[in-house]
Each structure stands twice: as structure tokens, then as C-alpha cells.
Amino acid sequence: MKIYTRKGDKGTTGVFGGKREDKDSPRIECNGALDEANSTIGLLRAKLGAEHEWQPNLHRIQKDLMDMMSHLARPSDSTKENTNPKPVDGASFCEQWLDELEAGITSPSDYFLLPGGNEISALCHVCRTQIRRGERRLVTLMKTDPACVEEYIISYVNRLSDLFFTLARAEMDKAGVAEEKWQLFLYKRKKKAVTEEG
């Protein structure tokens, strides 16, 4: 079987159920952004090495993204059933890992940070920003096909960006690399101003 079909040569692509949509439709833009993020997570995993402690969780996230993308590829008016799993516990899975990571980081998260530090930390930030783009595209898709974007998907994707920010910090902390701080979070600045006034 050939990899090419020529069906997309005029700017459309197939979606779940057999319909075709423009390649720049909200649905395809959304899945494209999440696919980019998933590919970068794959690069991160390759850089980490097979025995790294993050591998099982990152592997799960990659599979969950594939499952969610398959559900996003199904228009809500499709009569064909999608039997792929729905990772409805994705947000709570992220929260549990976030709590574990934050418990091991020696400094609080009070500042906006300049992405970078070392290669692993920088890759985590690339994952974070690509996931944020995927989230923005999810919101666009919600406006055109709201029933397609189930609540667990938007919650999971929102939590993933927090997770990759914290993974970047955990890597920096473990490597003993100083974070490059930009400025205090707004609520911290307000708290500091109140304290100084008092």
C-alpha cells in the first residue's frame, strides 16, 4: 500500500467518519498543533534516554494525545462511533504528577522565567508553548463544533502546559542550573507592594 493517496492535493483532508475538511479548518489546525506538541514530546523522550524516570508518564501522555486527537477528528454530527479510549482522568493524572514534582523542587515558583537553562528544560518549554497553541486552537474549535470538544479534553490540555512548565523547573533544579527570572507573578507583586506599604 502506498503512503500517498493524492486525495489531499487540492487542500482537503479526511476526518473521522469519512468527510473531508479544508486543511486549515479549526479542527485540522487544532489537531495539527497537538500533533506538533506530541512530536516534540517524542524528541524530549529520545533526549532523556530509555531509563529516565519520566518515560512512563510521558509515554502515557503521548498515547492520550493520540486518543484525544482521534476524538477531535470526529465531527459531532458523524454517525460513525469512535471506540478509542477517552482519557477522562488526564487532568487529575497531571495534578498528581505536578504535586510530586513540586514537592521535590527546592525553590518556590514565584517568577515568570526565561525559557532555556539546559537542553531538557528548553525542550520542556517548547512542549509547553506548543500545547498552549493547541489549547488556543481547541477554543476556536469549540466555537465551531462545541459538542466535539469534551470538557475532559480542554482540562487535560490546560493542565499539560502547567506540567511541562514544572518539568522544566524540576530539570533545572536537579541539574543545579539557576533559573533566569523575568519578574514576579502579578499576585506576588501585589502582595509584595501591600507588605511594603504596611
Side-chain angles (χ1 to χ4, degrees), residues 158-183:
N158 185 34
R159 219 65 88 247
L160 279 174
S161 58
D162 294 332
L163 175 63
F164 279 94
F165 175 78
T166 306
L167 286 170
R169 294 198 69 236
E171 166 63 20
M172 297 277 281
D173 192 74
K174 183 178 179 181
V177 179
E179 295 175 333
E180 291 186 282
K181 299 172 182 176
W182 178 53
Q183 60 180 232

mmCIF file with all atom_site columns, all heavy atoms in Angstrom, residues 158-183:
data_model
loop_
_atom_site.group_PDB
_atom_site.id
_atom_site.type_symbol
_atom_site.label_atom_id
_atom_site.label_alt_id
_atom_site.label_comp_id
_atom_site.label_asym_id
_atom_site.label_entity_id
_atom_site.label_seq_id
_atom_site.pdbx_PDB_ins_code
_atom_site.Cartn_x
_atom_site.Cartn_y
_atom_site.Cartn_z
_atom_site.occupancy
_atom_site.B_iso_or_equiv
_atom_site.pdbx_formal_charge
_atom_site.auth_seq_id
_atom_site.auth_comp_id
_atom_site.auth_asym_id
_atom_site.auth_atom_id
_atom_site.pdbx_PDB_model_num
ATOM 1   N N   . ASN A 1 158 ? -5.088 21.948 29.257 1.00 0.00 ? 158 ASN A N   1
ATOM 2   C CA  . ASN A 1 158 ? -4.731 23.080 30.118 1.00 0.00 ? 158 ASN A CA  1
ATOM 3   C C   . ASN A 1 158 ? -3.740 22.651 31.195 1.00 0.00 ? 158 ASN A C   1
ATOM 4   O O   . ASN A 1 158 ? -2.766 23.355 31.487 1.00 0.00 ? 158 ASN A O   1
ATOM 5   C CB  . ASN A 1 158 ? -5.997 23.662 30.753 1.00 0.00 ? 158 ASN A CB  1
ATOM 6   C CG  . ASN A 1 158 ? -5.722 24.917 31.553 1.00 0.00 ? 158 ASN A CG  1
ATOM 7   O OD1 . ASN A 1 158 ? -4.854 25.716 31.208 1.00 0.00 ? 158 ASN A OD1 1
ATOM 8   N ND2 . ASN A 1 158 ? -6.453 25.087 32.637 1.00 0.00 ? 158 ASN A ND2 1
ATOM 9   N N   . ARG A 1 159 ? -3.953 21.502 31.781 1.00 0.00 ? 159 ARG A N   1
ATOM 10  C CA  . ARG A 1 159 ? -3.060 21.018 32.832 1.00 0.00 ? 159 ARG A CA  1
ATOM 11  C C   . ARG A 1 159 ? -1.700 20.611 32.279 1.00 0.00 ? 159 ARG A C   1
ATOM 12  O O   . ARG A 1 159 ? -0.679 20.721 32.958 1.00 0.00 ? 159 ARG A O   1
ATOM 13  C CB  . ARG A 1 159 ? -3.728 19.843 33.557 1.00 0.00 ? 159 ARG A CB  1
ATOM 14  C CG  . ARG A 1 159 ? -3.503 19.822 35.052 1.00 0.00 ? 159 ARG A CG  1
ATOM 15  C CD  . ARG A 1 159 ? -4.145 21.009 35.764 1.00 0.00 ? 159 ARG A CD  1
ATOM 16  N NE  . ARG A 1 159 ? -5.521 20.711 36.122 1.00 0.00 ? 159 ARG A NE  1
ATOM 17  C CZ  . ARG A 1 159 ? -6.587 21.317 35.587 1.00 0.00 ? 159 ARG A CZ  1
ATOM 18  N NH1 . ARG A 1 159 ? -6.447 22.263 34.657 1.00 0.00 ? 159 ARG A NH1 1
ATOM 19  N NH2 . ARG A 1 159 ? -7.799 21.004 35.969 1.00 0.00 ? 159 ARG A NH2 1
ATOM 20  N N   . LEU A 1 160 ? -1.679 20.134 31.042 1.00 0.00 ? 160 LEU A N   1
ATOM 21  C CA  . LEU A 1 160 ? -0.407 19.712 30.446 1.00 0.00 ? 160 LEU A CA  1
ATOM 22  C C   . LEU A 1 160 ? 0.587  20.863 30.343 1.00 0.00 ? 160 LEU A C   1
ATOM 23  O O   . LEU A 1 160 ? 1.794  20.668 30.545 1.00 0.00 ? 160 LEU A O   1
ATOM 24  C CB  . LEU A 1 160 ? -0.643 19.110 29.057 1.00 0.00 ? 160 LEU A CB  1
ATOM 25  C CG  . LEU A 1 160 ? -1.107 17.658 28.999 1.00 0.00 ? 160 LEU A CG  1
ATOM 26  C CD1 . LEU A 1 160 ? -1.442 17.271 27.564 1.00 0.00 ? 160 LEU A CD1 1
ATOM 27  C CD2 . LEU A 1 160 ? -0.053 16.718 29.573 1.00 0.00 ? 160 LEU A CD2 1
ATOM 28  N N   . SER A 1 161 ? 0.111  22.061 30.026 1.00 0.00 ? 161 SER A N   1
ATOM 29  C CA  . SER A 1 161 ? 1.048  23.183 29.912 1.00 0.00 ? 161 SER A CA  1
ATOM 30  C C   . SER A 1 161 ? 1.657  23.509 31.272 1.00 0.00 ? 161 SER A C   1
ATOM 31  O O   . SER A 1 161 ? 2.847  23.817 31.377 1.00 0.00 ? 161 SER A O   1
ATOM 32  C CB  . SER A 1 161 ? 0.368  24.401 29.305 1.00 0.00 ? 161 SER A CB  1
ATOM 33  O OG  . SER A 1 161 ? -0.748 24.790 30.067 1.00 0.00 ? 161 SER A OG  1
ATOM 34  N N   . ASP A 1 162 ? 0.852  23.427 32.339 1.00 0.00 ? 162 ASP A N   1
ATOM 35  C CA  . ASP A 1 162 ? 1.390  23.605 33.695 1.00 0.00 ? 162 ASP A CA  1
ATOM 36  C C   . ASP A 1 162 ? 2.428  22.536 33.998 1.00 0.00 ? 162 ASP A C   1
ATOM 37  O O   . ASP A 1 162 ? 3.472  22.800 34.616 1.00 0.00 ? 162 ASP A O   1
ATOM 38  C CB  . ASP A 1 162 ? 0.272  23.519 34.737 1.00 0.00 ? 162 ASP A CB  1
ATOM 39  C CG  . ASP A 1 162 ? -0.732 24.647 34.635 1.00 0.00 ? 162 ASP A CG  1
ATOM 40  O OD1 . ASP A 1 162 ? -0.360 25.745 34.172 1.00 0.00 ? 162 ASP A OD1 1
ATOM 41  O OD2 . ASP A 1 162 ? -1.895 24.432 35.016 1.00 0.00 ? 162 ASP A OD2 1
ATOM 42  N N   . LEU A 1 163 ? 2.129  21.316 33.566 1.00 0.00 ? 163 LEU A N   1
ATOM 43  C CA  . LEU A 1 163 ? 3.032  20.197 33.831 1.00 0.00 ? 163 LEU A CA  1
ATOM 44  C C   . LEU A 1 163 ? 4.389  20.405 33.180 1.00 0.00 ? 163 LEU A C   1
ATOM 45  O O   . LEU A 1 163 ? 5.438  20.221 33.814 1.00 0.00 ? 163 LEU A O   1
ATOM 46  C CB  . LEU A 1 163 ? 2.399  18.899 33.340 1.00 0.00 ? 163 LEU A CB  1
ATOM 47  C CG  . LEU A 1 163 ? 3.271  17.650 33.448 1.00 0.00 ? 163 LEU A CG  1
ATOM 48  C CD1 . LEU A 1 163 ? 3.611  17.329 34.898 1.00 0.00 ? 163 LEU A CD1 1
ATOM 49  C CD2 . LEU A 1 163 ? 2.577  16.450 32.795 1.00 0.00 ? 163 LEU A CD2 1
ATOM 50  N N   . PHE A 1 164 ? 4.399  20.826 31.913 1.00 0.00 ? 164 PHE A N   1
ATOM 51  C CA  . PHE A 1 164 ? 5.688  20.968 31.229 1.00 0.00 ? 164 PHE A CA  1
ATOM 52  C C   . PHE A 1 164 ? 6.471  22.175 31.749 1.00 0.00 ? 164 PHE A C   1
ATOM 53  O O   . PHE A 1 164 ? 7.707  22.152 31.736 1.00 0.00 ? 164 PHE A O   1
ATOM 54  C CB  . PHE A 1 164 ? 5.497  20.996 29.710 1.00 0.00 ? 164 PHE A CB  1
ATOM 55  C CG  . PHE A 1 164 ? 5.336  19.617 29.145 1.00 0.00 ? 164 PHE A CG  1
ATOM 56  C CD1 . PHE A 1 164 ? 4.074  19.079 28.945 1.00 0.00 ? 164 PHE A CD1 1
ATOM 57  C CD2 . PHE A 1 164 ? 6.439  18.837 28.864 1.00 0.00 ? 164 PHE A CD2 1
ATOM 58  C CE1 . PHE A 1 164 ? 3.918  17.787 28.456 1.00 0.00 ? 164 PHE A CE1 1
ATOM 59  C CE2 . PHE A 1 164 ? 6.307  17.546 28.382 1.00 0.00 ? 164 PHE A CE2 1
ATOM 60  C CZ  . PHE A 1 164 ? 5.034  17.014 28.178 1.00 0.00 ? 164 PHE A CZ  1
ATOM 61  N N   . PHE A 1 165 ? 5.783  23.191 32.236 1.00 0.00 ? 165 PHE A N   1
ATOM 62  C CA  . PHE A 1 165 ? 6.479  24.281 32.923 1.00 0.00 ? 165 PHE A CA  1
ATOM 63  C C   . PHE A 1 165 ? 7.191  23.735 34.163 1.00 0.00 ? 165 PHE A C   1
ATOM 64  O O   . PHE A 1 165 ? 8.366  24.048 34.430 1.00 0.00 ? 165 PHE A O   1
ATOM 65  C CB  . PHE A 1 165 ? 5.491  25.378 33.319 1.00 0.00 ? 165 PHE A CB  1
ATOM 66  C CG  . PHE A 1 165 ? 6.082  26.490 34.143 1.00 0.00 ? 165 PHE A CG  1
ATOM 67  C CD1 . PHE A 1 165 ? 6.841  27.490 33.555 1.00 0.00 ? 165 PHE A CD1 1
ATOM 68  C CD2 . PHE A 1 165 ? 5.904  26.529 35.522 1.00 0.00 ? 165 PHE A CD2 1
ATOM 69  C CE1 . PHE A 1 165 ? 7.404  28.514 34.315 1.00 0.00 ? 165 PHE A CE1 1
ATOM 70  C CE2 . PHE A 1 165 ? 6.456  27.548 36.292 1.00 0.00 ? 165 PHE A CE2 1
ATOM 71  C CZ  . PHE A 1 165 ? 7.204  28.539 35.684 1.00 0.00 ? 165 PHE A CZ  1
ATOM 72  N N   . THR A 1 166 ? 6.495  22.891 34.908 1.00 0.00 ? 166 THR A N   1
ATOM 73  C CA  . THR A 1 166 ? 7.065  22.342 36.142 1.00 0.00 ? 166 THR A CA  1
ATOM 74  C C   . THR A 1 166 ? 8.146  21.313 35.849 1.00 0.00 ? 166 THR A C   1
ATOM 75  O O   . THR A 1 166 ? 9.139  21.220 36.588 1.00 0.00 ? 166 THR A O   1
ATOM 76  C CB  . THR A 1 166 ? 5.940  21.733 37.005 1.00 0.00 ? 166 THR A CB  1
ATOM 77  O OG1 . THR A 1 166 ? 4.931  22.726 37.214 1.00 0.00 ? 166 THR A OG1 1
ATOM 78  C CG2 . THR A 1 166 ? 6.469  21.281 38.365 1.00 0.00 ? 166 THR A CG2 1
ATOM 79  N N   . LEU A 1 167 ? 7.983  20.549 34.784 1.00 0.00 ? 167 LEU A N   1
ATOM 80  C CA  . LEU A 1 167 ? 9.056  19.625 34.388 1.00 0.00 ? 167 LEU A CA  1
ATOM 81  C C   . LEU A 1 167 ? 10.334 20.397 34.057 1.00 0.00 ? 167 LEU A C   1
ATOM 82  O O   . LEU A 1 167 ? 11.444 19.966 34.409 1.00 0.00 ? 167 LEU A O   1
ATOM 83  C CB  . LEU A 1 167 ? 8.623  18.786 33.183 1.00 0.00 ? 167 LEU A CB  1
ATOM 84  C CG  . LEU A 1 167 ? 7.617  17.666 33.459 1.00 0.00 ? 167 LEU A CG  1
ATOM 85  C CD1 . LEU A 1 167 ? 7.094  17.085 32.144 1.00 0.00 ? 167 LEU A CD1 1
ATOM 86  C CD2 . LEU A 1 167 ? 8.247  16.565 34.315 1.00 0.00 ? 167 LEU A CD2 1
ATOM 87  N N   . ALA A 1 168 ? 10.193 21.536 33.376 1.00 0.00 ? 168 ALA A N   1
ATOM 88  C CA  . ALA A 1 168 ? 11.356 22.366 33.069 1.00 0.00 ? 168 ALA A CA  1
ATOM 89  C C   . ALA A 1 168 ? 12.037 22.818 34.359 1.00 0.00 ? 168 ALA A C   1
ATOM 90  O O   . ALA A 1 168 ? 13.271 22.774 34.484 1.00 0.00 ? 168 ALA A O   1
ATOM 91  C CB  . ALA A 1 168 ? 10.938 23.578 32.237 1.00 0.00 ? 168 ALA A CB  1
ATOM 92  N N   . ARG A 1 169 ? 11.241 23.249 35.351 1.00 0.00 ? 169 ARG A N   1
ATOM 93  C CA  . ARG A 1 169 ? 11.794 23.696 36.633 1.00 0.00 ? 169 ARG A CA  1
ATOM 94  C C   . ARG A 1 169 ? 12.445 22.537 37.387 1.00 0.00 ? 169 ARG A C   1
ATOM 95  O O   . ARG A 1 169 ? 13.505 22.695 37.998 1.00 0.00 ? 169 ARG A O   1
ATOM 96  C CB  . ARG A 1 169 ? 10.700 24.316 37.499 1.00 0.00 ? 169 ARG A CB  1
ATOM 97  C CG  . ARG A 1 169 ? 10.130 25.604 36.951 1.00 0.00 ? 169 ARG A CG  1
ATOM 98  C CD  . ARG A 1 169 ? 9.406  26.379 38.046 1.00 0.00 ? 169 ARG A CD  1
ATOM 99  N NE  . ARG A 1 169 ? 10.373 26.884 39.016 1.00 0.00 ? 169 ARG A NE  1
ATOM 100 C CZ  . ARG A 1 169 ? 10.330 26.640 40.327 1.00 0.00 ? 169 ARG A CZ  1
ATOM 101 N NH1 . ARG A 1 169 ? 9.379  25.913 40.845 1.00 0.00 ? 169 ARG A NH1 1
ATOM 102 N NH2 . ARG A 1 169 ? 11.258 27.141 41.126 1.00 0.00 ? 169 ARG A NH2 1
ATOM 103 N N   . ALA A 1 170 ? 11.809 21.368 37.344 1.00 0.00 ? 170 ALA A N   1
ATOM 104 C CA  . ALA A 1 170 ? 12.360 20.195 38.035 1.00 0.00 ? 170 ALA A CA  1
ATOM 105 C C   . ALA A 1 170 ? 13.708 19.800 37.440 1.00 0.00 ? 170 ALA A C   1
ATOM 106 O O   . ALA A 1 170 ? 14.641 19.441 38.169 1.00 0.00 ? 170 ALA A O   1
ATOM 107 C CB  . ALA A 1 170 ? 11.379 19.033 37.950 1.00 0.00 ? 170 ALA A CB  1
ATOM 108 N N   . GLU A 1 171 ? 13.818 19.876 36.123 1.00 0.00 ? 171 GLU A N   1
ATOM 109 C CA  . GLU A 1 171 ? 15.087 19.559 35.462 1.00 0.00 ? 171 GLU A CA  1
ATOM 110 C C   . GLU A 1 171 ? 16.165 20.551 35.860 1.00 0.00 ? 171 GLU A C   1
ATOM 111 O O   . GLU A 1 171 ? 17.306 20.163 36.157 1.00 0.00 ? 171 GLU A O   1
ATOM 112 C CB  . GLU A 1 171 ? 14.885 19.553 33.941 1.00 0.00 ? 171 GLU A CB  1
ATOM 113 C CG  . GLU A 1 171 ? 16.167 19.570 33.121 1.00 0.00 ? 171 GLU A CG  1
ATOM 114 C CD  . GLU A 1 171 ? 17.045 18.349 33.320 1.00 0.00 ? 171 GLU A CD  1
ATOM 115 O OE1 . GLU A 1 171 ? 16.541 17.310 33.790 1.00 0.00 ? 171 GLU A OE1 1
ATOM 116 O OE2 . GLU A 1 171 ? 18.248 18.433 32.999 1.00 0.00 ? 171 GLU A OE2 1
ATOM 117 N N   . MET A 1 172 ? 15.830 21.830 35.887 1.00 0.00 ? 172 MET A N   1
ATOM 118 C CA  . MET A 1 172 ? 16.800 22.857 36.280 1.00 0.00 ? 172 MET A CA  1
ATOM 119 C C   . MET A 1 172 ? 17.253 22.645 37.713 1.00 0.00 ? 172 MET A C   1
ATOM 120 O O   . MET A 1 172 ? 18.440 22.749 38.040 1.00 0.00 ? 172 MET A O   1
ATOM 121 C CB  . MET A 1 172 ? 16.164 24.240 36.139 1.00 0.00 ? 172 MET A CB  1
ATOM 122 C CG  . MET A 1 172 ? 15.779 24.619 34.732 1.00 0.00 ? 172 MET A CG  1
ATOM 123 S SD  . MET A 1 172 ? 17.147 25.279 33.799 1.00 0.00 ? 172 MET A SD  1
ATOM 124 C CE  . MET A 1 172 ? 17.178 26.949 34.429 1.00 0.00 ? 172 MET A CE  1
ATOM 125 N N   . ASP A 1 173 ? 16.296 22.349 38.574 1.00 0.00 ? 173 ASP A N   1
ATOM 126 C CA  . ASP A 1 173 ? 16.609 22.135 39.988 1.00 0.00 ? 173 ASP A CA  1
ATOM 127 C C   . ASP A 1 173 ? 17.533 20.934 40.157 1.00 0.00 ? 173 ASP A C   1
ATOM 128 O O   . ASP A 1 173 ? 18.525 21.006 40.883 1.00 0.00 ? 173 ASP A O   1
ATOM 129 C CB  . ASP A 1 173 ? 15.299 21.928 40.762 1.00 0.00 ? 173 ASP A CB  1
ATOM 130 C CG  . ASP A 1 173 ? 15.491 21.976 42.260 1.00 0.00 ? 173 ASP A CG  1
ATOM 131 O OD1 . ASP A 1 173 ? 15.686 23.086 42.801 1.00 0.00 ? 173 ASP A OD1 1
ATOM 132 O OD2 . ASP A 1 173 ? 15.453 20.908 42.904 1.00 0.00 ? 173 ASP A OD2 1
ATOM 133 N N   . LYS A 1 174 ? 17.207 19.841 39.494 1.00 0.00 ? 174 LYS A N   1
ATOM 134 C CA  . LYS A 1 174 ? 18.010 18.615 39.595 1.00 0.00 ? 174 LYS A CA  1
ATOM 135 C C   . LYS A 1 174 ? 19.415 18.834 39.042 1.00 0.00 ? 174 LYS A C   1
ATOM 136 O O   . LYS A 1 174 ? 20.399 18.313 39.589 1.00 0.00 ? 174 LYS A O   1
ATOM 137 C CB  . LYS A 1 174 ? 17.317 17.489 38.836 1.00 0.00 ? 174 LYS A CB  1
ATOM 138 C CG  . LYS A 1 174 ? 18.029 16.150 38.926 1.00 0.00 ? 174 LYS A CG  1
ATOM 139 C CD  . LYS A 1 174 ? 17.256 15.077 38.186 1.00 0.00 ? 174 LYS A CD  1
ATOM 140 C CE  . LYS A 1 174 ? 17.987 13.744 38.250 1.00 0.00 ? 174 LYS A CE  1
ATOM 141 N NZ  . LYS A 1 174 ? 17.250 12.675 37.510 1.00 0.00 ? 174 LYS A NZ  1
ATOM 142 N N   . ALA A 1 175 ? 19.515 19.611 37.956 1.00 0.00 ? 175 ALA A N   1
ATOM 143 C CA  . ALA A 1 175 ? 20.818 19.853 37.322 1.00 0.00 ? 175 ALA A CA  1
ATOM 144 C C   . ALA A 1 175 ? 21.624 20.925 38.034 1.00 0.00 ? 175 ALA A C   1
ATOM 145 O O   . ALA A 1 175 ? 22.798 21.138 37.715 1.00 0.00 ? 175 ALA A O   1
ATOM 146 C CB  . ALA A 1 175 ? 20.612 20.237 35.857 1.00 0.00 ? 175 ALA A CB  1
ATOM 147 N N   . GLY A 1 176 ? 20.997 21.626 38.995 1.00 0.00 ? 176 GLY A N   1
ATOM 148 C CA  . GLY A 1 176 ? 21.692 22.696 39.706 1.00 0.00 ? 176 GLY A CA  1
ATOM 149 C C   . GLY A 1 176 ? 21.934 23.921 38.850 1.00 0.00 ? 176 GLY A C   1
ATOM 150 O O   . GLY A 1 176 ? 22.899 24.665 39.075 1.00 0.00 ? 176 GLY A O   1
ATOM 151 N N   . VAL A 1 177 ? 21.051 24.135 37.877 1.00 0.00 ? 177 VAL A N   1
ATOM 152 C CA  . VAL A 1 177 ? 21.179 25.279 36.980 1.00 0.00 ? 177 VAL A CA  1
ATOM 153 C C   . VAL A 1 177 ? 20.251 26.385 37.470 1.00 0.00 ? 177 VAL A C   1
ATOM 154 O O   . VAL A 1 177 ? 19.067 26.150 37.721 1.00 0.00 ? 177 VAL A O   1
ATOM 155 C CB  . VAL A 1 177 ? 20.820 24.894 35.524 1.00 0.00 ? 177 VAL A CB  1
ATOM 156 C CG1 . VAL A 1 177 ? 20.938 26.104 34.610 1.00 0.00 ? 177 VAL A CG1 1
ATOM 157 C CG2 . VAL A 1 177 ? 21.708 23.761 35.045 1.00 0.00 ? 177 VAL A CG2 1
ATOM 158 N N   . ALA A 1 178 ? 20.778 27.600 37.622 1.00 0.00 ? 178 ALA A N   1
ATOM 159 C CA  . ALA A 1 178 ? 19.967 28.714 38.111 1.00 0.00 ? 178 ALA A CA  1
ATOM 160 C C   . ALA A 1 178 ? 18.938 29.133 37.079 1.00 0.00 ? 178 ALA A C   1
ATOM 161 O O   . ALA A 1 178 ? 19.237 29.222 35.886 1.00 0.00 ? 178 ALA A O   1
ATOM 162 C CB  . ALA A 1 178 ? 20.866 29.903 38.464 1.00 0.00 ? 178 ALA A CB  1
ATOM 163 N N   . GLU A 1 179 ? 17.720 29.378 37.528 1.00 0.00 ? 179 GLU A N   1
ATOM 164 C CA  . GLU A 1 179 ? 16.664 29.862 36.643 1.00 0.00 ? 179 GLU A CA  1
ATOM 165 C C   . GLU A 1 179 ? 16.899 31.326 36.314 1.00 0.00 ? 179 GLU A C   1
ATOM 166 O O   . GLU A 1 179 ? 17.318 32.107 37.164 1.00 0.00 ? 179 GLU A O   1
ATOM 167 C CB  . GLU A 1 179 ? 15.297 29.701 37.317 1.00 0.00 ? 179 GLU A CB  1
ATOM 168 C CG  . GLU A 1 179 ? 14.910 28.258 37.570 1.00 0.00 ? 179 GLU A CG  1
ATOM 169 C CD  . GLU A 1 179 ? 13.607 28.135 38.344 1.00 0.00 ? 179 GLU A CD  1
ATOM 170 O OE1 . GLU A 1 179 ? 13.270 29.063 39.103 1.00 0.00 ? 179 GLU A OE1 1
ATOM 171 O OE2 . GLU A 1 179 ? 12.940 27.105 38.189 1.00 0.00 ? 179 GLU A OE2 1
ATOM 172 N N   . GLU A 1 180 ? 16.623 31.705 35.073 1.00 0.00 ? 180 GLU A N   1
ATOM 173 C CA  . GLU A 1 180 ? 16.706 33.107 34.668 1.00 0.00 ? 180 GLU A CA  1
ATOM 174 C C   . GLU A 1 180 ? 15.328 33.729 34.862 1.00 0.00 ? 180 GLU A C   1
ATOM 175 O O   . GLU A 1 180 ? 14.401 33.466 34.102 1.00 0.00 ? 180 GLU A O   1
ATOM 176 C CB  . GLU A 1 180 ? 17.168 33.219 33.216 1.00 0.00 ? 180 GLU A CB  1
ATOM 177 C CG  . GLU A 1 180 ? 18.615 32.801 33.023 1.00 0.00 ? 180 GLU A CG  1
ATOM 178 C CD  . GLU A 1 180 ? 19.082 33.068 31.614 1.00 0.00 ? 180 GLU A CD  1
ATOM 179 O OE1 . GLU A 1 180 ? 18.732 32.282 30.712 1.00 0.00 ? 180 GLU A OE1 1
ATOM 180 O OE2 . GLU A 1 180 ? 19.781 34.083 31.416 1.00 0.00 ? 180 GLU A OE2 1
ATOM 181 N N   . LYS A 1 181 ? 15.215 34.563 35.882 1.00 0.00 ? 181 LYS A N   1
ATOM 182 C CA  . LYS A 1 181 ? 13.922 35.130 36.254 1.00 0.00 ? 181 LYS A CA  1
ATOM 183 C C   . LYS A 1 181 ? 13.659 36.413 35.471 1.00 0.00 ? 181 LYS A C   1
ATOM 184 O O   . LYS A 1 181 ? 14.557 37.211 35.252 1.00 0.00 ? 181 LYS A O   1
ATOM 185 C CB  . LYS A 1 181 ? 13.902 35.410 37.757 1.00 0.00 ? 181 LYS A CB  1
ATOM 186 C CG  . LYS A 1 181 ? 14.088 34.156 38.595 1.00 0.00 ? 181 LYS A CG  1
ATOM 187 C CD  . LYS A 1 181 ? 14.266 34.482 40.077 1.00 0.00 ? 181 LYS A CD  1
ATOM 188 C CE  . LYS A 1 181 ? 14.494 33.217 40.885 1.00 0.00 ? 181 LYS A CE  1
ATOM 189 N NZ  . LYS A 1 181 ? 14.755 33.489 42.306 1.00 0.00 ? 181 LYS A NZ  1
ATOM 190 N N   . TRP A 1 182 ? 12.409 36.590 35.090 1.00 0.00 ? 182 TRP A N   1
ATOM 191 C CA  . TRP A 1 182 ? 11.986 37.819 34.425 1.00 0.00 ? 182 TRP A CA  1
ATOM 192 C C   . TRP A 1 182 ? 11.357 38.759 35.445 1.00 0.00 ? 182 TRP A C   1
ATOM 193 O O   . TRP A 1 182 ? 11.930 39.786 35.767 1.00 0.00 ? 182 TRP A O   1
ATOM 194 C CB  . TRP A 1 182 ? 11.026 37.505 33.283 1.00 0.00 ? 182 TRP A CB  1
ATOM 195 C CG  . TRP A 1 182 ? 10.525 38.733 32.590 1.00 0.00 ? 182 TRP A CG  1
ATOM 196 C CD1 . TRP A 1 182 ? 11.273 39.748 32.063 1.00 0.00 ? 182 TRP A CD1 1
ATOM 197 C CD2 . TRP A 1 182 ? 9.161  39.093 32.362 1.00 0.00 ? 182 TRP A CD2 1
ATOM 198 N NE1 . TRP A 1 182 ? 10.464 40.712 31.512 1.00 0.00 ? 182 TRP A NE1 1
ATOM 199 C CE2 . TRP A 1 182 ? 9.150  40.333 31.677 1.00 0.00 ? 182 TRP A CE2 1
ATOM 200 C CE3 . TRP A 1 182 ? 7.947  38.479 32.642 1.00 0.00 ? 182 TRP A CE3 1
ATOM 201 C CZ2 . TRP A 1 182 ? 7.976  40.970 31.292 1.00 0.00 ? 182 TRP A CZ2 1
ATOM 202 C CZ3 . TRP A 1 182 ? 6.776  39.111 32.248 1.00 0.00 ? 182 TRP A CZ3 1
ATOM 203 C CH2 . TRP A 1 182 ? 6.799  40.341 31.593 1.00 0.00 ? 182 TRP A CH2 1
ATOM 204 N N   . GLN A 1 183 ? 10.193 38.422 35.976 1.00 0.00 ? 183 GLN A N   1
ATOM 205 C CA  . GLN A 1 183 ? 9.595  39.236 37.024 1.00 0.00 ? 183 GLN A CA  1
ATOM 206 C C   . GLN A 1 183 ? 8.628  38.382 37.844 1.00 0.00 ? 183 GLN A C   1
ATOM 207 O O   . GLN A 1 183 ? 8.187  37.324 37.408 1.00 0.00 ? 183 GLN A O   1
ATOM 208 C CB  . GLN A 1 183 ? 8.877  40.452 36.448 1.00 0.00 ? 183 GLN A CB  1
ATOM 209 C CG  . GLN A 1 183 ? 7.745  40.152 35.502 1.00 0.00 ? 183 GLN A CG  1
ATOM 210 C CD  . GLN A 1 183 ? 7.071  41.405 34.976 1.00 0.00 ? 183 GLN A CD  1
ATOM 211 O OE1 . GLN A 1 183 ? 5.866  41.543 35.055 1.00 0.00 ? 183 GLN A OE1 1
ATOM 212 N NE2 . GLN A 1 183 ? 7.856  42.317 34.417 1.00 0.00 ? 183 GLN A NE2 1
#
